Amino acid sequence: MSSTDNSTAASATADASAPTSSPPWWTPDPSSGVGSGDNAWQLTAASLVALQSVPGLVVLYAGIMKKKWAINSAFMAFYAFAAVLICWVLWGYEASFGEEMLPFVGKPDNVLGIDTMLRQSFLPSIGVGQQFPLATMVYFQFVFAAITLVIMAGGFLGRMNFYAWMIFVPLWLTLSYTVGAYSLWGGGFLFKLGVIDYSGGYVIHLSSGTAGFVGCYWIGPRLAKDREDARPNNILTVLIGAGILWIGWNGFNGGDPYAASADAGVAVLNTNLCTAVSLLVWTVCDMIYFKKPSVIGAVQGMITGLVAITPAAGVVAGWGAILLGLGSGAIPWFTMNVVAKKIKFIERHFDDTLGVVHTHMIAGFIGGFGTGLWATAEGCAAFGLTNPGGAVAGNGIQVGYQMAGAMFIIGWNAVWTSLIMLFIKYVLRIPLRMSEEQLLLGDDAVHGEAAYVFGPCEMHDPESGYIQGEMVHTTTTNDGELGIGGMTAPPPMKEEAGKNGESSIA
């Protein structure tokens, strides 16, 4: 993500601490040549990223899981999106992008004051600003924080106690996400070291993939029969979510120069190029190994391509995006379909439901490593970085910086995800895993709702208290009396003997 910003935005903030003239709120700088166009693009990009979570991953999760887990899976994503926003404006944004408190985290504070929201966006630990108000920056960074938790949920689907998830989300955002964001984007020690993470290959994907993998160990596995038969209940819904995810990534990577700049266009084109190559490579691997092309496999390849290009989007050339696509289509495919199935310990103890360790952790690591290899000096300059490119530009030490950044993100998230899970389980005494009854019944037991209802109406079962999605016949005292659930339930039909002994319905 852009930390030093382009020259246009930087020149507009020569002295952010100077007394503001009337009016006191941010207005476009006439000398910038773009003015509020940056604000329009930034809000558009933020909205595209928001759509990736709601409804993108909400419907993807609902469709890719078994029918009995469709509601719960979608709701975990839906809840995370809302909960993160509240935490973000109260303390998360300033801890991630505010003034330095420690080399890896900023000072927590709220951003709710109208004077705060109206003033120009400025990153105090870096000393640069942007051509839009702080409210725009807060929202833009929120949707990135939210999708990180939504992605992580993919490793926990089908068995995590929803109440434990409600506690986990704000704790992990506070203790883990803010540290990665400040360290790499907000002016922390990894930023100063020179680690490049254009749009979240480390902050978002490496962290969520690590946390999803480690967290699924502490939660425990799904029911054996759910693991054996994990067929999606609606593949077309999966494709709808995948399509929103792909196109939404134009805002994900295209919004990170913090300006409607040339580099934003490069990031969008490279994003789509890498993704297309990765999807095709994954599909070819499926055809060679399984003898059939799989649409679910294509979606996985799409995701790994999107993830791998994220840390490199605007700093590599088009051929660099193609090389990243080749790696992100082949390596995560191999680890998911071959390696993971041969290591019995992992298969037995790490029930990563949607394979986020492969699609996000490994793909994010590939992207970060590839950035160290193929970042160009021109791309870094266009993005506003002082880095002289990667190994291809004669700066081989960049690969070492990228690996150091990856190790910190993996280590920090592995430790803090474990500590948070143990705190919820042993200190708060909230089970991480659902009860056996809930695991057997799914959405009906957990939420009292069913994903698909075929019939005249949803009727409420007075015995179990669950919405069953089928009509419940009750005895009525008068014709037309309302039955359970507000539906008119006519008296049961009686059989009467016909003239020739045959039965008829009266």
Side-chain angles (χ1 to χ4, degrees), residues 28-200:
D29 179 7
S31 66
S32 70
V34 290
S36 61
D38 284 355
N39 191 37
W41 167 237
Q42 209 64 33
L43 287 170
T44 301
S47 298
L48 286 170
V49 179
L51 288 169
Q52 290 182 293
S53 292
V54 180
L57 286 173
V58 169
V59 297
L60 191 152
Y61 287 177
I64 205 167
M65 293 296 290
K66 296 181 67 171
K67 182 173 71 72
K68 76 174 188 177
W69 293 119
I71 295 292
N72 180 257
S73 302
F75 198 5
M76 285 181 70
F78 208 44
Y79 164 80
F81 192 81
V84 168
L85 178 56
I86 304 305
C87 301
W88 193 246
V89 297
L90 289 177
W91 66 81
Y93 175 79
E94 285 292 325
S96 302
F97 295 93
E99 297 179 0
E100 180 177 313
M101 182 174 71
L102 295 169
F104 51 84
V105 71
K107 297 177 182 177
D109 199 0
N110 75 81
V111 289
L112 295 175
I114 188 64
D115 56 332
T116 300
M117 291 190 285
L118 286 172
R119 73 171 183 242
Q120 184 175 3
S121 174
F122 185 74
L123 300 176
S125 295
I126 300 174
V128 298
Q130 298 75 39
Q131 277 291 305
F132 44 78
L134 185 64
T136 298
M137 176 65 99
V138 171
Y139 185 74
F140 181 76
Q141 297 297 352
F142 147 67
V143 292
F144 283 84
I147 201 171
T148 306
L149 271 299
V150 173
I151 289 169
M152 187 196 310
F156 306 155
L157 299 180
R159 85 284 200 176
M160 186 174 187
N161 180 3
F162 194 81
Y163 298 106
W165 175 243
M166 294 178 72
I167 301 298
F168 179 86
V169 168
L171 289 177
W172 192 88
L173 175 78
T174 303
L175 298 172
S176 196
Y177 182 84
T178 57
V179 170
Y182 184 83
S183 298
L184 281 158
W185 291 342
F189 78 103
L190 291 178
F191 167 81
K192 294 174 182 175
L193 179 65
V195 179
I196 301 174
D197 187 7
Y198 189 92
S199 193

Side-chain angles (χ1 to χ4, degrees), residues 39 196 302 358 434 470:
N39 191 37
I196 301 174
M302 177 205 79
H358 308 284
M434 296 179 190
E470 55 189 42

Side-chain angles (χ1 to χ4, degrees), residues 401-417:
Y401 294 154
Q402 298 300 113
M403 294 301 94
M407 292 302 102
F408 173 77
I409 293 296
I410 291 172
W412 185 273
N413 282 279
V415 170
W416 281 99
T417 300

Side-chain angles (χ1 to χ4, degrees), residues 23 30 51 73 79 83 85 89 98 182 199 205 239 246 288 290 300 311 372 382 386 417 461 472 480 490 492:
L51 288 169
S73 302
Y79 164 80
L85 178 56
V89 297
Y182 184 83
S199 193
H205 301 293
L239 286 175
W246 185 341
I288 293 172
F290 298 113
Q300 302 281 31
T386 58
T417 300
D461 184 350
V472 178

